[in-house]
Amino acid sequence: LGDSFTFGEGVADNETMAYYVGDLVNAQAANQWAPLQVKNYGIHGWGIHQSLAVLQSDLDTQSNLNVVLTAPWHASRVGCADFFSLGSPKYVLQDDGLVKRDGYCRSFGWVEHSPKALRGLITSSKVFNLIQDSLLVTNDQDKQLAIYLGVLKTIAAESKKRGEDLVVGFIKADDQWFVGTYNNQKVIDAIKGMGIKVVDMTLADKNELLERKYYIHELDKHPTGAANHARAKLL
C-alpha cells in the first residue's frame, strides 16, 4: 500500500519493491512465507488515506501481511492540502485517535453530484478554489500529521480486525520539511507508540544524505531498482 514509490514509478515491473519482496522470499523454498503472492496497491500521487480506503473497500484485499510504505509528506495529502488531492477520500480525526470517512477532499457534496459540465465550470473558478483552500483544507502541519497518524492507527485496527499483520515502511522527510513541532523521530515514535511495527527504509541516517544510486534523478527522487531491492531486503 502506498504512493508512486510503492507503485514503482520510473522503473521496470521487475524492479519494484513488491516484485523484489516476492522474488527474495520465493527464492528460499524453506521460507514459511513461500510461495508468496504480492499485490501492489500503490498509485502515483496517492497518500495513506487512499490506502485506508482500499482496505475499507469491497476489493478482495485479504492477506496475511499488509505493508504500508509511507513518509511524513503524505500528511499534506491526508489533510487535503495538495491540489491533486481533489476528489480523494477525506477523513476526520476522532477523539479515540481513529479516523472516520467524511466525504471527499476539497469538495462540497453538492458539487460532486452536479452534472459534469457544471462541475467542471465550478471547479475551474478561481473564487471556488479560494473557498476550497480556506474551508476544505487542513493547512496546519501539526494537525495534518495528527490526521496522518490517525489514518495509520485505523489501518492497524482494520488489519487486526481482519487477522492480518501490519508493517509500516517509513522513509524520513528532509529535516527542513517540518515547520511545526514534529520531526522524523517524533513521527516514528508516535507510530511505534500505537503498537505498529516500523522499519526505517530511508536507506540513510537522513534523507538529505541518501546515496545517488538510490534515486532516479536530482529532480526526480523516485527510487531506483537498487533502492527498491534494498528496501525489500529490509522488509
mmCIF file of all heavy atoms in Angstrom, residues 137-182:
data_model
loop_
_atom_site.group_PDB
_atom_site.id
_atom_site.type_symbol
_atom_site.label_atom_id
_atom_site.label_comp_id
_atom_site.label_asym_id
_atom_site.label_seq_id
_atom_site.Cartn_x
_atom_site.Cartn_y
_atom_site.Cartn_z
ATOM 1 N N VAL A 137 -9.510 22.593 3.567
ATOM 2 C CA VAL A 137 -8.130 22.121 3.652
ATOM 3 C C VAL A 137 -7.607 22.282 5.076
ATOM 4 O O VAL A 137 -7.897 23.283 5.735
ATOM 5 C CB VAL A 137 -7.233 22.911 2.680
ATOM 6 C CG1 VAL A 137 -5.762 22.588 2.909
ATOM 7 C CG2 VAL A 137 -7.608 22.612 1.230
ATOM 8 N N THR A 138 -6.861 21.278 5.548
ATOM 9 C CA THR A 138 -6.149 21.388 6.824
ATOM 10 C C THR A 138 -4.741 21.877 6.526
ATOM 11 O O THR A 138 -3.913 21.134 6.009
ATOM 12 C CB THR A 138 -6.096 20.026 7.546
ATOM 13 O OG1 THR A 138 -7.426 19.548 7.762
ATOM 14 C CG2 THR A 138 -5.382 20.154 8.887
ATOM 15 N N ASN A 139 -4.484 23.149 6.823
ATOM 16 C CA ASN A 139 -3.196 23.746 6.471
ATOM 17 C C ASN A 139 -2.146 23.631 7.573
ATOM 18 O O ASN A 139 -0.953 23.659 7.287
ATOM 19 C CB ASN A 139 -3.388 25.224 6.101
ATOM 20 C CG ASN A 139 -4.049 25.392 4.741
ATOM 21 O OD1 ASN A 139 -3.604 24.819 3.753
ATOM 22 N ND2 ASN A 139 -5.126 26.164 4.692
ATOM 23 N N ASP A 140 -2.569 23.504 8.824
ATOM 24 C CA ASP A 140 -1.633 23.410 9.930
ATOM 25 C C ASP A 140 -0.920 22.053 9.877
ATOM 26 O O ASP A 140 -1.565 21.005 9.930
ATOM 27 C CB ASP A 140 -2.379 23.567 11.259
ATOM 28 C CG ASP A 140 -1.456 23.538 12.456
ATOM 29 O OD1 ASP A 140 -1.092 22.433 12.886
ATOM 30 O OD2 ASP A 140 -1.108 24.615 12.956
ATOM 31 N N GLN A 141 0.419 22.060 9.772
ATOM 32 C CA GLN A 141 1.155 20.806 9.581
ATOM 33 C C GLN A 141 0.998 19.850 10.758
ATOM 34 O O GLN A 141 0.891 18.638 10.560
ATOM 35 C CB GLN A 141 2.633 21.076 9.322
ATOM 36 C CG GLN A 141 3.383 19.829 8.858
ATOM 37 C CD GLN A 141 4.854 20.081 8.628
ATOM 38 O OE1 GLN A 141 5.647 20.106 9.570
ATOM 39 N NE2 GLN A 141 5.241 20.282 7.376
ATOM 40 N N ASP A 142 0.974 20.379 11.978
ATOM 41 C CA ASP A 142 0.792 19.502 13.138
ATOM 42 C C ASP A 142 -0.558 18.789 13.076
ATOM 43 O O ASP A 142 -0.665 17.599 13.405
ATOM 44 C CB ASP A 142 0.900 20.300 14.438
ATOM 45 C CG ASP A 142 2.346 20.547 14.848
ATOM 46 O OD1 ASP A 142 3.251 20.200 14.066
ATOM 47 O OD2 ASP A 142 2.563 21.094 15.938
ATOM 48 N N LYS A 143 -1.591 19.504 12.635
ATOM 49 C CA LYS A 143 -2.915 18.885 12.517
ATOM 50 C C LYS A 143 -2.936 17.874 11.376
ATOM 51 O O LYS A 143 -3.589 16.823 11.471
ATOM 52 C CB LYS A 143 -3.977 19.970 12.312
ATOM 53 C CG LYS A 143 -4.206 20.851 13.530
ATOM 54 C CD LYS A 143 -5.286 21.890 13.282
ATOM 55 C CE LYS A 143 -5.504 22.762 14.516
ATOM 56 N NZ LYS A 143 -6.532 23.813 14.270
ATOM 57 N N GLN A 144 -2.221 18.194 10.292
ATOM 58 C CA GLN A 144 -2.107 17.234 9.188
ATOM 59 C C GLN A 144 -1.472 15.938 9.675
ATOM 60 O O GLN A 144 -1.944 14.842 9.365
ATOM 61 C CB GLN A 144 -1.262 17.823 8.059
ATOM 62 C CG GLN A 144 -1.892 18.975 7.305
ATOM 63 C CD GLN A 144 -0.936 19.578 6.293
ATOM 64 O OE1 GLN A 144 0.245 19.223 6.243
ATOM 65 N NE2 GLN A 144 -1.430 20.497 5.476
ATOM 66 N N LEU A 145 -0.395 16.069 10.456
ATOM 67 C CA LEU A 145 0.307 14.890 10.962
ATOM 68 C C LEU A 145 -0.534 14.130 11.978
ATOM 69 O O LEU A 145 -0.435 12.905 12.070
ATOM 70 C CB LEU A 145 1.658 15.297 11.549
ATOM 71 C CG LEU A 145 2.728 15.595 10.491
ATOM 72 C CD1 LEU A 145 3.881 16.403 11.072
ATOM 73 C CD2 LEU A 145 3.249 14.299 9.877
ATOM 74 N N ALA A 146 -1.373 14.832 12.722
ATOM 75 C CA ALA A 146 -2.269 14.158 13.662
ATOM 76 C C ALA A 146 -3.273 13.285 12.908
ATOM 77 O O ALA A 146 -3.546 12.142 13.313
ATOM 78 C CB ALA A 146 -2.988 15.190 14.527
ATOM 79 N N ILE A 147 -3.812 13.806 11.798
ATOM 80 C CA ILE A 147 -4.731 13.007 10.978
ATOM 81 C C ILE A 147 -3.973 11.851 10.328
ATOM 82 O O ILE A 147 -4.468 10.716 10.263
ATOM 83 C CB ILE A 147 -5.404 13.882 9.901
ATOM 84 C CG1 ILE A 147 -6.181 15.037 10.534
ATOM 85 C CG2 ILE A 147 -6.360 13.033 9.052
ATOM 86 C CD1 ILE A 147 -6.713 16.043 9.532
ATOM 87 N N TYR A 148 -2.774 12.135 9.850
ATOM 88 C CA TYR A 148 -1.902 11.119 9.240
ATOM 89 C C TYR A 148 -1.689 9.948 10.202
ATOM 90 O O TYR A 148 -1.842 8.779 9.832
ATOM 91 C CB TYR A 148 -0.580 11.791 8.880
ATOM 92 C CG TYR A 148 0.562 10.885 8.500
ATOM 93 C CD1 TYR A 148 0.701 10.412 7.204
ATOM 94 C CD2 TYR A 148 1.545 10.546 9.435
ATOM 95 C CE1 TYR A 148 1.783 9.602 6.851
ATOM 96 C CE2 TYR A 148 2.621 9.736 9.082
ATOM 97 C CZ TYR A 148 2.734 9.274 7.795
ATOM 98 O OH TYR A 148 3.796 8.481 7.444
ATOM 99 N N LEU A 149 -1.357 10.260 11.446
ATOM 100 C CA LEU A 149 -1.162 9.213 12.456
ATOM 101 C C LEU A 149 -2.473 8.486 12.748
ATOM 102 O O LEU A 149 -2.493 7.278 12.978
ATOM 103 C CB LEU A 149 -0.587 9.814 13.729
ATOM 104 C CG LEU A 149 0.857 10.330 13.618
ATOM 105 C CD1 LEU A 149 1.233 11.162 14.846
ATOM 106 C CD2 LEU A 149 1.837 9.172 13.450
ATOM 107 N N GLY A 150 -3.577 9.223 12.710
ATOM 108 C CA GLY A 150 -4.887 8.604 12.907
ATOM 109 C C GLY A 150 -5.223 7.623 11.806
ATOM 110 O O GLY A 150 -5.830 6.572 12.051
ATOM 111 N N VAL A 151 -4.830 7.949 10.581
ATOM 112 C CA VAL A 151 -5.053 7.041 9.455
ATOM 113 C C VAL A 151 -4.245 5.756 9.655
ATOM 114 O O VAL A 151 -4.757 4.649 9.462
ATOM 115 C CB VAL A 151 -4.682 7.711 8.115
ATOM 116 C CG1 VAL A 151 -4.655 6.683 6.990
ATOM 117 C CG2 VAL A 151 -5.666 8.815 7.785
ATOM 118 N N LEU A 152 -2.981 5.896 10.064
ATOM 119 C CA LEU A 152 -2.163 4.713 10.313
ATOM 120 C C LEU A 152 -2.748 3.863 11.444
ATOM 121 O O LEU A 152 -2.761 2.626 11.365
ATOM 122 C CB LEU A 152 -0.729 5.124 10.656
ATOM 123 C CG LEU A 152 0.148 5.544 9.482
ATOM 124 C CD1 LEU A 152 1.496 6.054 9.972
ATOM 125 C CD2 LEU A 152 0.348 4.384 8.504
ATOM 126 N N LYS A 153 -3.243 4.522 12.488
ATOM 127 C CA LYS A 153 -3.855 3.786 13.596
ATOM 128 C C LYS A 153 -5.090 3.035 13.111
ATOM 129 O O LYS A 153 -5.336 1.890 13.529
ATOM 130 C CB LYS A 153 -4.239 4.751 14.724
ATOM 131 C CG LYS A 153 -4.806 4.059 15.949
ATOM 132 C CD LYS A 153 -5.076 5.055 17.084
ATOM 133 C CE LYS A 153 -5.600 4.332 18.332
ATOM 134 N NZ LYS A 153 -5.826 5.286 19.459
ATOM 135 N N THR A 154 -5.842 3.639 12.211
ATOM 136 C CA THR A 154 -7.049 2.996 11.685
ATOM 137 C C THR A 154 -6.689 1.846 10.753
ATOM 138 O O THR A 154 -7.369 0.811 10.747
ATOM 139 C CB THR A 154 -7.927 4.030 10.961
ATOM 140 O OG1 THR A 154 -8.167 5.142 11.832
ATOM 141 C CG2 THR A 154 -9.264 3.423 10.557
ATOM 142 N N ILE A 155 -5.624 2.006 9.962
ATOM 143 C CA ILE A 155 -5.143 0.901 9.125
ATOM 144 C C ILE A 155 -4.750 -0.284 10.007
ATOM 145 O O ILE A 155 -5.058 -1.440 9.702
ATOM 146 C CB ILE A 155 -3.953 1.351 8.255
ATOM 147 C CG1 ILE A 155 -4.429 2.298 7.155
ATOM 148 C CG2 ILE A 155 -3.249 0.141 7.641
ATOM 149 C CD1 ILE A 155 -3.313 2.878 6.301
ATOM 150 N N ALA A 156 -4.077 0.013 11.130
ATOM 151 C CA ALA A 156 -3.692 -1.045 12.068
ATOM 152 C C ALA A 156 -4.919 -1.733 12.640
ATOM 153 O O ALA A 156 -4.959 -2.967 12.779
ATOM 154 C CB ALA A 156 -2.837 -0.461 13.186
ATOM 155 N N ALA A 157 -5.944 -0.941 12.982
ATOM 156 C CA ALA A 157 -7.188 -1.503 13.539
ATOM 157 C C ALA A 157 -7.900 -2.370 12.502
ATOM 158 O O ALA A 157 -8.421 -3.448 12.829
ATOM 159 C CB ALA A 157 -8.096 -0.374 14.012
ATOM 160 N N GLU A 158 -7.934 -1.899 11.256
ATOM 161 C CA GLU A 158 -8.573 -2.672 10.184
ATOM 162 C C GLU A 158 -7.821 -3.986 9.966
ATOM 163 O O GLU A 158 -8.434 -5.042 9.786
ATOM 164 C CB GLU A 158 -8.585 -1.855 8.887
ATOM 165 C CG GLU A 158 -9.530 -0.668 8.882
ATOM 166 C CD GLU A 158 -10.988 -1.070 8.694
ATOM 167 O OE1 GLU A 158 -11.249 -2.218 8.250
ATOM 168 O OE2 GLU A 158 -11.869 -0.249 8.994
ATOM 169 N N SER A 159 -6.499 -3.919 9.980
ATOM 170 C CA SER A 159 -5.694 -5.125 9.778
ATOM 171 C C SER A 159 -5.924 -6.128 10.903
ATOM 172 O O SER A 159 -6.102 -7.332 10.660
ATOM 173 C CB SER A 159 -4.202 -4.758 9.701
ATOM 174 O OG SER A 159 -3.941 -3.912 8.607
ATOM 175 N N LYS A 160 -5.933 -5.637 12.136
ATOM 176 C CA LYS A 160 -6.142 -6.518 13.297
ATOM 177 C C LYS A 160 -7.513 -7.164 13.235
ATOM 178 O O LYS A 160 -7.662 -8.361 13.523
ATOM 179 C CB LYS A 160 -5.986 -5.716 14.588
ATOM 180 C CG LYS A 160 -6.102 -6.562 15.848
ATOM 181 C CD LYS A 160 -5.857 -5.728 17.098
ATOM 182 C CE LYS A 160 -5.951 -6.583 18.352
ATOM 183 N NZ LYS A 160 -5.706 -5.779 19.588
ATOM 184 N N LYS A 161 -8.527 -6.394 12.841
ATOM 185 C CA LYS A 161 -9.893 -6.913 12.755
ATOM 186 C C LYS A 161 -9.986 -8.046 11.738
ATOM 187 O O LYS A 161 -10.758 -8.986 11.902
ATOM 188 C CB LYS A 161 -10.843 -5.771 12.365
ATOM 189 C CG LYS A 161 -12.301 -6.150 12.306
ATOM 190 C CD LYS A 161 -13.178 -4.908 12.151
ATOM 191 C CE LYS A 161 -12.914 -4.197 10.849
ATOM 192 N NZ LYS A 161 -13.817 -3.023 10.658
ATOM 193 N N ARG A 162 -9.140 -7.988 10.719
ATOM 194 C CA ARG A 162 -9.143 -8.998 9.660
ATOM 195 C C ARG A 162 -8.150 -10.112 9.934
ATOM 196 O O ARG A 162 -7.971 -11.014 9.108
ATOM 197 C CB ARG A 162 -8.816 -8.329 8.326
ATOM 198 C CG ARG A 162 -9.909 -7.401 7.843
ATOM 199 C CD ARG A 162 -9.448 -6.326 6.881
ATOM 200 N NE ARG A 162 -8.474 -6.743 5.889
ATOM 201 C CZ ARG A 162 -8.502 -6.372 4.602
ATOM 202 N NH1 ARG A 162 -9.479 -5.605 4.167
ATOM 203 N NH2 ARG A 162 -7.576 -6.757 3.773
ATOM 204 N N GLY A 163 -7.455 -10.050 11.088
ATOM 205 C CA GLY A 163 -6.485 -11.081 11.431
ATOM 206 C C GLY A 163 -5.203 -11.002 10.633
ATOM 207 O O GLY A 163 -4.539 -12.022 10.421
ATOM 208 N N GLU A 164 -4.844 -9.790 10.213
ATOM 209 C CA GLU A 164 -3.666 -9.592 9.370
ATOM 210 C C GLU A 164 -2.590 -8.805 10.125
ATOM 211 O O GLU A 164 -2.897 -7.932 10.937
ATOM 212 C CB GLU A 164 -4.061 -8.829 8.101
ATOM 213 C CG GLU A 164 -5.117 -9.551 7.282
ATOM 214 C CD GLU A 164 -5.772 -8.677 6.232
ATOM 215 O OE1 GLU A 164 -5.500 -7.458 6.204
ATOM 216 O OE2 GLU A 164 -6.569 -9.212 5.440
ATOM 217 N N ASP A 165 -1.342 -9.126 9.842
ATOM 218 C CA ASP A 165 -0.234 -8.351 10.413
ATOM 219 C C ASP A 165 -0.035 -7.074 9.612
ATOM 220 O O ASP A 165 -0.444 -6.979 8.447
ATOM 221 C CB ASP A 165 1.063 -9.168 10.394
ATOM 222 C CG ASP A 165 1.042 -10.315 11.384
ATOM 223 O OD1 ASP A 165 0.407 -10.157 12.441
ATOM 224 O OD2 ASP A 165 1.650 -11.366 11.103
ATOM 225 N N LEU A 166 0.620 -6.086 10.227
ATOM 226 C CA LEU A 166 0.885 -4.814 9.564
ATOM 227 C C LEU A 166 2.318 -4.386 9.826
ATOM 228 O O LEU A 166 2.800 -4.456 10.963
ATOM 229 C CB LEU A 166 -0.065 -3.727 10.067
ATOM 230 C CG LEU A 166 0.228 -2.297 9.590
ATOM 231 C CD1 LEU A 166 0.002 -2.165 8.077
ATOM 232 C CD2 LEU A 166 -0.628 -1.285 10.347
ATOM 233 N N VAL A 167 2.997 -3.963 8.782
ATOM 234 C CA VAL A 167 4.326 -3.370 8.900
ATOM 235 C C VAL A 167 4.311 -2.030 8.169
ATOM 236 O O VAL A 167 3.806 -1.945 7.037
ATOM 237 C CB VAL A 167 5.420 -4.274 8.299
ATOM 238 C CG1 VAL A 167 6.753 -3.526 8.248
ATOM 239 C CG2 VAL A 167 5.558 -5.551 9.096
ATOM 240 N N VAL A 168 4.842 -1.007 8.793
ATOM 241 C CA VAL A 168 4.988 0.298 8.157
ATOM 242 C C VAL A 168 6.445 0.493 7.755
ATOM 243 O O VAL A 168 7.342 0.438 8.601
ATOM 244 C CB VAL A 168 4.542 1.436 9.103
ATOM 245 C CG1 VAL A 168 4.979 2.800 8.553
ATOM 246 C CG2 VAL A 168 3.039 1.406 9.293
ATOM 247 N N GLY A 169 6.676 0.668 6.460
ATOM 248 C CA GLY A 169 7.999 1.030 5.966
ATOM 249 C C GLY A 169 8.067 2.547 5.936
ATOM 250 O O GLY A 169 7.301 3.198 5.213
ATOM 251 N N PHE A 170 8.955 3.125 6.747
ATOM 252 C CA PHE A 170 8.986 4.580 6.926
ATOM 253 C C PHE A 170 10.195 5.186 6.226
ATOM 254 O O PHE A 170 11.330 4.730 6.404
ATOM 255 C CB PHE A 170 9.048 4.910 8.424
ATOM 256 C CG PHE A 170 8.899 6.372 8.743
ATOM 257 C CD1 PHE A 170 7.643 6.939 8.871
ATOM 258 C CD2 PHE A 170 10.020 7.177 8.919
ATOM 259 C CE1 PHE A 170 7.499 8.282 9.169
ATOM 260 C CE2 PHE A 170 9.893 8.518 9.222
ATOM 261 C CZ PHE A 170 8.618 9.078 9.342
ATOM 262 N N ILE A 171 9.938 6.202 5.405
ATOM 263 C CA ILE A 171 11.002 6.950 4.746
ATOM 264 C C ILE A 171 11.011 8.360 5.328
ATOM 265 O O ILE A 171 9.997 9.061 5.284
ATOM 266 C CB ILE A 171 10.791 7.000 3.221
ATOM 267 C CG1 ILE A 171 10.802 5.584 2.640
ATOM 268 C CG2 ILE A 171 11.864 7.855 2.555
ATOM 269 C CD1 ILE A 171 10.454 5.521 1.167
ATOM 270 N N LYS A 172 12.128 8.764 5.877
ATOM 271 C CA LYS A 172 12.208 10.079 6.520
ATOM 272 C C LYS A 172 12.089 11.205 5.500
ATOM 273 O O LYS A 172 12.535 11.084 4.356
ATOM 274 C CB LYS A 172 13.538 10.218 7.266
ATOM 275 C CG LYS A 172 13.726 9.249 8.414
ATOM 276 C CD LYS A 172 15.133 9.358 8.994
ATOM 277 C CE LYS A 172 15.371 8.332 10.096
ATOM 278 N NZ LYS A 172 16.773 8.343 10.565
ATOM 279 N N ALA A 173 11.497 12.305 5.955
ATOM 280 C CA ALA A 173 11.472 13.526 5.155
ATOM 281 C C ALA A 173 12.734 14.337 5.443
ATOM 282 O O ALA A 173 13.406 14.120 6.460
ATOM 283 C CB ALA A 173 10.238 14.351 5.498
ATOM 284 N N ASP A 174 13.073 15.261 4.559
ATOM 285 C CA ASP A 174 14.159 16.189 4.851
ATOM 286 C C ASP A 174 13.834 16.941 6.132
ATOM 287 O O ASP A 174 12.667 17.284 6.376
ATOM 288 C CB ASP A 174 14.337 17.200 3.717
ATOM 289 C CG ASP A 174 14.936 16.585 2.461
ATOM 290 O OD1 ASP A 174 15.315 15.398 2.506
ATOM 291 O OD2 ASP A 174 15.014 17.293 1.442
ATOM 292 N N ASP A 175 14.836 17.213 6.931
ATOM 293 C CA ASP A 175 14.592 17.914 8.199
ATOM 294 C C ASP A 175 13.876 19.240 7.985
ATOM 295 O O ASP A 175 13.020 19.635 8.788
ATOM 296 C CB ASP A 175 15.922 18.160 8.927
ATOM 297 C CG ASP A 175 16.505 16.879 9.520
ATOM 298 O OD1 ASP A 175 15.746 15.902 9.691
ATOM 299 O OD2 ASP A 175 17.717 16.861 9.801
ATOM 300 N N GLN A 176 14.216 19.949 6.914
ATOM 301 C CA GLN A 176 13.625 21.267 6.677
ATOM 302 C C GLN A 176 12.154 21.197 6.267
ATOM 303 O O GLN A 176 11.472 22.220 6.224
ATOM 304 C CB GLN A 176 14.420 22.016 5.605
ATOM 305 C CG GLN A 176 14.343 21.394 4.224
ATOM 306 C CD GLN A 176 15.126 22.190 3.194
ATOM 307 O OE1 GLN A 176 15.842 23.120 3.533
ATOM 308 N NE2 GLN A 176 14.995 21.819 1.923
ATOM 309 N N TRP A 177 11.670 19.990 5.967
ATOM 310 C CA TRP A 177 10.253 19.850 5.598
ATOM 311 C C TRP A 177 9.347 20.189 6.776
ATOM 312 O O TRP A 177 8.261 20.729 6.595
ATOM 313 C CB TRP A 177 9.988 18.415 5.127
ATOM 314 C CG TRP A 177 8.554 18.186 4.711
ATOM 315 C CD1 TRP A 177 7.999 18.441 3.492
ATOM 316 C CD2 TRP A 177 7.488 17.677 5.545
ATOM 317 N NE1 TRP A 177 6.657 18.121 3.509
ATOM 318 C CE2 TRP A 177 6.324 17.657 4.749
ATOM 319 C CE3 TRP A 177 7.417 17.248 6.862
ATOM 320 C CZ2 TRP A 177 5.100 17.209 5.236
ATOM 321 C CZ3 TRP A 177 6.198 16.804 7.353
ATOM 322 C CH2 TRP A 177 5.057 16.784 6.558
ATOM 323 N N PHE A 178 9.786 19.891 7.981
ATOM 324 C CA PHE A 178 8.974 20.101 9.170
ATOM 325 C C PHE A 178 8.956 21.580 9.561
ATOM 326 O O PHE A 178 10.006 22.206 9.692
ATOM 327 C CB PHE A 178 9.499 19.270 10.340
ATOM 328 C CG PHE A 178 9.397 17.776 10.114
ATOM 329 C CD1 PHE A 178 10.475 17.066 9.595
ATOM 330 C CD2 PHE A 178 8.230 17.091 10.396
ATOM 331 C CE1 PHE A 178 10.393 15.692 9.381
ATOM 332 C CE2 PHE A 178 8.129 15.715 10.185
ATOM 333 C CZ PHE A 178 9.216 15.022 9.672
ATOM 334 N N VAL A 179 7.760 22.110 9.758
ATOM 335 C CA VAL A 179 7.615 23.515 10.143
ATOM 336 C C VAL A 179 6.859 23.666 11.462
ATOM 337 O O VAL A 179 6.668 24.779 11.949
ATOM 338 C CB VAL A 179 6.895 24.327 9.045
ATOM 339 C CG1 VAL A 179 7.735 24.377 7.779
ATOM 340 C CG2 VAL A 179 5.509 23.759 8.748
ATOM 341 N N GLY A 180 6.429 22.554 12.041
ATOM 342 C CA GLY A 180 5.704 22.597 13.307
ATOM 343 C C GLY A 180 6.520 21.994 14.433
ATOM 344 O O GLY A 180 7.730 22.187 14.513
ATOM 345 N N THR A 181 5.855 21.230 15.296
ATOM 346 C CA THR A 181 6.524 20.655 16.470
ATOM 347 C C THR A 181 7.043 19.249 16.220
ATOM 348 O O THR A 181 7.710 18.672 17.078
ATOM 349 C CB THR A 181 5.563 20.621 17.671
ATOM 350 O OG1 THR A 181 4.459 19.742 17.366
ATOM 351 C CG2 THR A 181 5.026 22.014 17.984
ATOM 352 N N TYR A 182 6.740 18.683 15.050
ATOM 353 C CA TYR A 182 7.165 17.312 14.759
ATOM 354 C C TYR A 182 8.533 17.285 14.081
ATOM 355 O O TYR A 182 8.985 18.270 13.504
ATOM 356 C CB TYR A 182 6.154 16.628 13.825
ATOM 357 C CG TYR A 182 4.909 16.113 14.509
ATOM 358 C CD1 TYR A 182 3.795 16.941 14.677
ATOM 359 C CD2 TYR A 182 4.829 14.808 14.971
ATOM 360 C CE1 TYR A 182 2.638 16.470 15.287
ATOM 361 C CE2 TYR A 182 3.679 14.322 15.586
ATOM 362 C CZ TYR A 182 2.593 15.159 15.742
ATOM 363 O OH TYR A 182 1.442 14.701 16.347
#
